[in-house]
Amino acid sequence: MRITLKNITKSYKKVTAVEDISFEVKPGELFGLIGPDGAGKTTLFRILTTLLFADKGEATVAGYDVVKDYKKIRNSVGYMPGKFSLYQDLTVEENLEFFATIFGTTIEENYDLIKDIYVQIEPFKKRRAGKLSGGMKQKLALSCALIHKPKVLFLDEPTTGVDPVSRKEFWDMLKRLNDKGITTLVSTPYMDEAALCDRIALIQAGKILKIDSPSNIIEQHEKQIYNVEADDMYKLIQDLKEFPKNDSVFAFGEFVHYTHFNDEFSPEELKKYLEEKGHKKVFIEATSPGIEDIFMDLSRTKDIKPTDNEV
Amino acid sequence: MKSEETVINVEKLTKKFGNFTAVNEISFKTYKGEIFGFLGANGAGKTTAMKMLIGISKPTSGEASVTGFDVYSQPDRIKRNIGYMSQKFSMYDDLTIKENITFFGGIYGLDRKTIKIKISEIIESLGLEDVANKLVGLLPLGWKQKLAFSVALLHEPKIVFLDEPTGGVDPITRRQFWELIYKQAAQGTTIFVTTHYMDEAEYCDRVSIMVEGKIEALDTPKNLKKEYKTDSMDGVFLKLARNVE
């Protein structure tokens, strides 16, 4: 069950939300759209789930055209929007029943598919959806999106605002679902989640920066990154930025990630420079890039400024 | 190097809702100029604790003072003396940048002259000259958040509370935002910040991690990593904050 997009463009008044986007999600793939707020992720989801017309371009989901065959698409996909969209004043069980009925099925018929997820909220099935915690809402929304056994699953920022432990659990669930053969398109602003996808598209300001498997993207990245550490982080960032041979300087957890303007980096030279600036305990080592490093590098070198295209 | 002067003093602070103890006898101090990370899983009690500290929720028991004011008897003075910004609400989208600054300056009781000075300071330091008369709603999220941070500091509070200030912000802007935080802390403002980005936990001077209403760990990122035998704050968090619902 494939998803295809060909030259999709969509503007709202003056802002171009997505521009000339083309990619394909292969049957059974777990495909991630990785990018910050305003990148255009939600616009793409809405076009693919037939809730919004593109200005230009074509798209298909499970072989159906998003414009001509919109009714068929609506029957065969599951969609979990970024904003919690269930009925707050129905209970957990009522919400699930409602969605099952709408799609002409029953909870029993497809229980197997949601079992793993639903058992975690089943103890609260008489509770109103509006009274659930964030993590439970997320599980209910996913159960509702799955109850008609969709061929394709769309998850728009399912883990935004969710703590790291719950995020990890959610991805484990997603992996298990994907193993059952459901083609999944998922978006996230958390770059560390990219590694869990089969393939990803890095997206910023309505444009795609890169599409490939996370490991290929990392392997193909040519710039060597160095971890730099010293006792005063803030001053270290300032001074590294003033080092004339720097290409980029970004705080990265306990280190600063530094790239050099050419291939002739000398750790001794940088160390000496920093020590002359008064830094103590200077430590420099080569390290390998992560998706976030590459995202920053691509958005910087392609000079794509972040925009806010929220609707 | 950090100051000994405390800005928050919390002793066995507790909040109960009926039978449910949302915050369970937490105790900690934050110091002048410190970047204090306040972490925890969803539902661990962070928001409830923070609401007590900013003077909008009365504790059930325990003691807490913020910038020298008591959370029970002086909540209004706390509100006037702290800065606050959250991801969810920061400024009015249908006011311009200048109008927002003027509005919040007024709320904080600044006089017109001071507001005028602040407007030009903020606009210059954030490089917003070209868009000063544009509606805030038209700004990219990252700019909006940087502006909101400056607005929260208009009245020069001793402490500013940042509730997930960088959620959804692109990675470059997220780092620029943290540079603003560093700069402000270096000038002596205490930063109390919550985040779900574990790399940001590394940028804090000290980090507390709440689990089921209690502070289970409180130390520098370095010591926490040592104690929990892991090389990242993500590892510390995963070991500590078993998700309980």
mmCIF file of all heavy atoms in Angstrom, chain A residues 87-101 107 118 124-129 140 144:
data_model
loop_
_atom_site.group_PDB
_atom_site.id
_atom_site.type_symbol
_atom_site.label_atom_id
_atom_site.label_comp_id
_atom_site.label_asym_id
_atom_site.label_seq_id
_atom_site.Cartn_x
_atom_site.Cartn_y
_atom_site.Cartn_z
ATOM 1 N N TYR A 87 -13.858 12.670 20.999
ATOM 2 C CA TYR A 87 -14.923 13.341 21.730
ATOM 3 C C TYR A 87 -14.599 13.345 23.211
ATOM 4 O O TYR A 87 -14.565 12.302 23.857
ATOM 5 C CB TYR A 87 -16.258 12.661 21.434
ATOM 6 C CG TYR A 87 -16.636 12.841 19.988
ATOM 7 C CD1 TYR A 87 -16.341 11.877 19.035
ATOM 8 C CD2 TYR A 87 -17.227 14.033 19.566
ATOM 9 C CE1 TYR A 87 -16.634 12.067 17.696
ATOM 10 C CE2 TYR A 87 -17.526 14.238 18.231
ATOM 11 C CZ TYR A 87 -17.224 13.256 17.309
ATOM 12 O OH TYR A 87 -17.516 13.464 15.986
ATOM 13 N N GLN A 88 -14.345 14.521 23.743
ATOM 14 C CA GLN A 88 -13.907 14.663 25.135
ATOM 15 C C GLN A 88 -14.959 14.163 26.116
ATOM 16 O O GLN A 88 -14.634 13.682 27.184
ATOM 17 C CB GLN A 88 -13.634 16.142 25.454
ATOM 18 C CG GLN A 88 -12.759 16.828 24.429
ATOM 19 C CD GLN A 88 -11.318 16.969 24.881
ATOM 20 O OE1 GLN A 88 -10.938 16.506 25.947
ATOM 21 N NE2 GLN A 88 -10.501 17.602 24.066
ATOM 22 N N ASP A 89 -16.243 14.317 25.746
ATOM 23 C CA ASP A 89 -17.269 13.932 26.709
ATOM 24 C C ASP A 89 -17.855 12.544 26.449
ATOM 25 O O ASP A 89 -18.859 12.168 27.048
ATOM 26 C CB ASP A 89 -18.362 15.008 26.853
ATOM 27 C CG ASP A 89 -18.738 15.590 25.514
ATOM 28 O OD1 ASP A 89 -18.315 15.026 24.484
ATOM 29 O OD2 ASP A 89 -19.447 16.601 25.486
ATOM 30 N N LEU A 90 -17.240 11.802 25.566
ATOM 31 C CA LEU A 90 -17.549 10.370 25.495
ATOM 32 C C LEU A 90 -16.471 9.629 26.281
ATOM 33 O O LEU A 90 -15.343 10.101 26.388
ATOM 34 C CB LEU A 90 -17.546 9.878 24.041
ATOM 35 C CG LEU A 90 -18.629 10.408 23.097
ATOM 36 C CD1 LEU A 90 -18.544 9.683 21.760
ATOM 37 C CD2 LEU A 90 -20.018 10.264 23.693
ATOM 38 N N THR A 91 -16.824 8.465 26.786
ATOM 39 C CA THR A 91 -15.823 7.684 27.517
ATOM 40 C C THR A 91 -14.854 7.046 26.523
ATOM 41 O O THR A 91 -15.073 7.074 25.309
ATOM 42 C CB THR A 91 -16.474 6.547 28.334
ATOM 43 O OG1 THR A 91 -17.056 5.622 27.414
ATOM 44 C CG2 THR A 91 -17.536 7.074 29.283
ATOM 45 N N VAL A 92 -13.817 6.455 27.073
ATOM 46 C CA VAL A 92 -12.824 5.741 26.276
ATOM 47 C C VAL A 92 -13.513 4.715 25.376
ATOM 48 O O VAL A 92 -13.320 4.679 24.156
ATOM 49 C CB VAL A 92 -11.815 5.041 27.221
ATOM 50 C CG1 VAL A 92 -10.963 4.038 26.471
ATOM 51 C CG2 VAL A 92 -10.946 6.080 27.919
ATOM 52 N N GLU A 93 -14.352 3.897 26.005
ATOM 53 C CA GLU A 93 -15.031 2.827 25.292
ATOM 54 C C GLU A 93 -15.990 3.381 24.232
ATOM 55 O O GLU A 93 -16.050 2.884 23.109
ATOM 56 C CB GLU A 93 -15.802 1.999 26.317
ATOM 57 C CG GLU A 93 -16.167 0.618 25.865
ATOM 58 C CD GLU A 93 -16.849 -0.133 27.004
ATOM 59 O OE1 GLU A 93 -17.493 0.520 27.857
ATOM 60 O OE2 GLU A 93 -16.733 -1.362 27.035
ATOM 61 N N GLU A 94 -16.720 4.438 24.591
ATOM 62 C CA GLU A 94 -17.675 5.026 23.651
ATOM 63 C C GLU A 94 -16.980 5.596 22.421
ATOM 64 O O GLU A 94 -17.456 5.457 21.300
ATOM 65 C CB GLU A 94 -18.493 6.126 24.347
ATOM 66 C CG GLU A 94 -19.539 5.573 25.294
ATOM 67 C CD GLU A 94 -20.102 6.628 26.254
ATOM 68 O OE1 GLU A 94 -19.529 7.736 26.350
ATOM 69 O OE2 GLU A 94 -21.096 6.331 26.914
ATOM 70 N N ASN A 95 -15.852 6.248 22.641
ATOM 71 C CA ASN A 95 -15.096 6.769 21.509
ATOM 72 C C ASN A 95 -14.705 5.650 20.549
ATOM 73 O O ASN A 95 -14.888 5.753 19.333
ATOM 74 C CB ASN A 95 -13.837 7.485 21.995
ATOM 75 C CG ASN A 95 -14.027 8.984 22.128
ATOM 76 O OD1 ASN A 95 -14.270 9.688 21.156
ATOM 77 N ND2 ASN A 95 -13.949 9.462 23.359
ATOM 78 N N LEU A 96 -14.183 4.599 21.122
ATOM 79 C CA LEU A 96 -13.708 3.493 20.297
ATOM 80 C C LEU A 96 -14.878 2.849 19.540
ATOM 81 O O LEU A 96 -14.775 2.560 18.343
ATOM 82 C CB LEU A 96 -13.012 2.461 21.187
ATOM 83 C CG LEU A 96 -12.155 1.419 20.479
ATOM 84 C CD1 LEU A 96 -11.075 2.076 19.637
ATOM 85 C CD2 LEU A 96 -11.506 0.481 21.502
ATOM 86 N N GLU A 97 -16.000 2.672 20.234
ATOM 87 C CA GLU A 97 -17.184 2.095 19.599
ATOM 88 C C GLU A 97 -17.690 2.989 18.477
ATOM 89 O O GLU A 97 -18.080 2.532 17.417
ATOM 90 C CB GLU A 97 -18.290 1.916 20.640
ATOM 91 C CG GLU A 97 -18.693 0.469 20.818
ATOM 92 C CD GLU A 97 -19.413 0.279 22.138
ATOM 93 O OE1 GLU A 97 -20.272 1.125 22.472
ATOM 94 O OE2 GLU A 97 -19.083 -0.703 22.829
ATOM 95 N N PHE A 98 -17.667 4.281 18.740
ATOM 96 C CA PHE A 98 -18.122 5.249 17.754
ATOM 97 C C PHE A 98 -17.322 5.105 16.458
ATOM 98 O O PHE A 98 -17.885 5.000 15.372
ATOM 99 C CB PHE A 98 -17.975 6.663 18.322
ATOM 100 C CG PHE A 98 -18.342 7.753 17.365
ATOM 101 C CD1 PHE A 98 -19.661 8.124 17.173
ATOM 102 C CD2 PHE A 98 -17.358 8.418 16.644
ATOM 103 C CE1 PHE A 98 -20.004 9.134 16.280
ATOM 104 C CE2 PHE A 98 -17.684 9.423 15.749
ATOM 105 C CZ PHE A 98 -19.014 9.779 15.571
ATOM 106 N N PHE A 99 -16.002 5.075 16.599
ATOM 107 C CA PHE A 99 -15.177 4.969 15.401
ATOM 108 C C PHE A 99 -15.350 3.619 14.698
ATOM 109 O O PHE A 99 -15.372 3.547 13.479
ATOM 110 C CB PHE A 99 -13.708 5.253 15.727
ATOM 111 C CG PHE A 99 -13.431 6.715 15.848
ATOM 112 C CD1 PHE A 99 -13.513 7.356 17.082
ATOM 113 C CD2 PHE A 99 -13.146 7.472 14.723
ATOM 114 C CE1 PHE A 99 -13.310 8.724 17.186
ATOM 115 C CE2 PHE A 99 -12.935 8.837 14.821
ATOM 116 C CZ PHE A 99 -13.012 9.468 16.061
ATOM 117 N N ALA A 100 -15.507 2.566 15.477
ATOM 118 C CA ALA A 100 -15.736 1.252 14.878
ATOM 119 C C ALA A 100 -17.031 1.272 14.066
ATOM 120 O O ALA A 100 -17.075 0.821 12.919
ATOM 121 C CB ALA A 100 -15.792 0.185 15.967
ATOM 122 N N THR A 101 -18.088 1.834 14.646
ATOM 123 C CA THR A 101 -19.396 1.865 13.984
ATOM 124 C C THR A 101 -19.347 2.666 12.686
ATOM 125 O O THR A 101 -19.842 2.234 11.646
ATOM 126 C CB THR A 101 -20.446 2.486 14.926
ATOM 127 O OG1 THR A 101 -20.319 1.866 16.196
ATOM 128 C CG2 THR A 101 -21.853 2.275 14.400
ATOM 129 N N ILE A 107 -15.510 -3.483 17.664
ATOM 130 C CA ILE A 107 -14.259 -3.557 18.422
ATOM 131 C C ILE A 107 -13.736 -4.995 18.404
ATOM 132 O O ILE A 107 -12.545 -5.233 18.187
ATOM 133 C CB ILE A 107 -14.470 -3.083 19.884
ATOM 134 C CG1 ILE A 107 -14.920 -1.623 19.896
ATOM 135 C CG2 ILE A 107 -13.197 -3.264 20.697
ATOM 136 C CD1 ILE A 107 -15.164 -1.036 21.275
ATOM 137 N N TYR A 118 -4.558 -1.037 23.540
ATOM 138 C CA TYR A 118 -5.803 -0.782 24.260
ATOM 139 C C TYR A 118 -5.788 -1.356 25.671
ATOM 140 O O TYR A 118 -6.366 -0.745 26.588
ATOM 141 C CB TYR A 118 -6.995 -1.327 23.453
ATOM 142 C CG TYR A 118 -8.335 -0.879 23.997
ATOM 143 C CD1 TYR A 118 -8.664 0.478 24.046
ATOM 144 C CD2 TYR A 118 -9.263 -1.801 24.472
ATOM 145 C CE1 TYR A 118 -9.876 0.902 24.549
ATOM 146 C CE2 TYR A 118 -10.491 -1.386 24.974
ATOM 147 C CZ TYR A 118 -10.794 -0.034 25.017
ATOM 148 O OH TYR A 118 -11.996 0.378 25.525
ATOM 149 N N PHE A 124 -9.417 2.091 32.297
ATOM 150 C CA PHE A 124 -10.080 3.393 32.403
ATOM 151 C C PHE A 124 -11.179 3.558 31.360
ATOM 152 O O PHE A 124 -11.531 4.662 30.975
ATOM 153 C CB PHE A 124 -9.057 4.520 32.234
ATOM 154 C CG PHE A 124 -7.835 4.340 33.080
ATOM 155 C CD1 PHE A 124 -6.671 3.791 32.550
ATOM 156 C CD2 PHE A 124 -7.855 4.686 34.424
ATOM 157 C CE1 PHE A 124 -5.545 3.601 33.337
ATOM 158 C CE2 PHE A 124 -6.733 4.505 35.219
ATOM 159 C CZ PHE A 124 -5.574 3.960 34.672
ATOM 160 N N LYS A 125 -11.730 2.435 30.890
ATOM 161 C CA LYS A 125 -12.631 2.541 29.736
ATOM 162 C C LYS A 125 -13.923 3.299 30.035
ATOM 163 O O LYS A 125 -14.592 3.761 29.121
ATOM 164 C CB LYS A 125 -12.927 1.154 29.154
ATOM 165 C CG LYS A 125 -13.700 0.224 30.049
ATOM 166 C CD LYS A 125 -13.879 -1.102 29.338
ATOM 167 C CE LYS A 125 -14.633 -2.078 30.230
ATOM 168 N NZ LYS A 125 -14.682 -3.407 29.632
ATOM 169 N N LYS A 126 -14.251 3.445 31.309
ATOM 170 C CA LYS A 126 -15.468 4.212 31.650
ATOM 171 C C LYS A 126 -15.168 5.687 31.884
ATOM 172 O O LYS A 126 -16.042 6.463 32.232
ATOM 173 C CB LYS A 126 -16.116 3.630 32.915
ATOM 174 C CG LYS A 126 -16.542 2.180 32.805
ATOM 175 C CD LYS A 126 -17.781 2.035 31.930
ATOM 176 C CE LYS A 126 -18.157 0.554 31.799
ATOM 177 N NZ LYS A 126 -18.925 0.297 30.559
ATOM 178 N N ARG A 127 -13.900 6.064 31.741
ATOM 179 C CA ARG A 127 -13.528 7.452 31.978
ATOM 180 C C ARG A 127 -13.742 8.284 30.711
ATOM 181 O O ARG A 127 -13.533 7.816 29.610
ATOM 182 C CB ARG A 127 -12.069 7.531 32.411
ATOM 183 C CG ARG A 127 -11.692 8.873 32.998
ATOM 184 C CD ARG A 127 -10.239 8.941 33.371
ATOM 185 N NE ARG A 127 -9.929 8.198 34.591
ATOM 186 C CZ ARG A 127 -8.732 8.247 35.184
ATOM 187 N NH1 ARG A 127 -7.783 8.999 34.671
ATOM 188 N NH2 ARG A 127 -8.491 7.547 36.272
ATOM 189 N N ARG A 128 -14.178 9.534 30.910
ATOM 190 C CA ARG A 128 -14.331 10.404 29.739
ATOM 191 C C ARG A 128 -12.969 10.731 29.137
ATOM 192 O O ARG A 128 -12.020 10.986 29.871
ATOM 193 C CB ARG A 128 -15.008 11.708 30.153
ATOM 194 C CG ARG A 128 -16.470 11.525 30.418
ATOM 195 C CD ARG A 128 -17.111 12.851 30.670
ATOM 196 N NE ARG A 128 -18.460 12.639 31.173
ATOM 197 C CZ ARG A 128 -19.339 13.616 31.324
ATOM 198 N NH1 ARG A 128 -18.987 14.855 31.043
ATOM 199 N NH2 ARG A 128 -20.549 13.344 31.751
ATOM 200 N N ALA A 129 -12.949 10.788 27.826
ATOM 201 C CA ALA A 129 -11.676 11.017 27.121
ATOM 202 C C ALA A 129 -11.020 12.318 27.563
ATOM 203 O O ALA A 129 -9.803 12.406 27.671
ATOM 204 C CB ALA A 129 -11.899 11.008 25.620
ATOM 205 N N LEU A 140 -5.442 6.164 23.209
ATOM 206 C CA LEU A 140 -6.826 6.047 22.743
ATOM 207 C C LEU A 140 -6.937 6.526 21.293
ATOM 208 O O LEU A 140 -7.587 5.886 20.466
ATOM 209 C CB LEU A 140 -7.762 6.866 23.647
ATOM 210 C CG LEU A 140 -9.230 6.884 23.216
ATOM 211 C CD1 LEU A 140 -9.820 5.476 23.176
ATOM 212 C CD2 LEU A 140 -10.070 7.773 24.141
ATOM 213 N N CYS A 144 -8.271 4.342 18.151
ATOM 214 C CA CYS A 144 -9.377 4.760 17.288
ATOM 215 C C CYS A 144 -8.948 4.827 15.821
ATOM 216 O O CYS A 144 -9.733 4.530 14.927
ATOM 217 C CB CYS A 144 -9.930 6.120 17.725
ATOM 218 S SG CYS A 144 -10.822 6.049 19.291
#
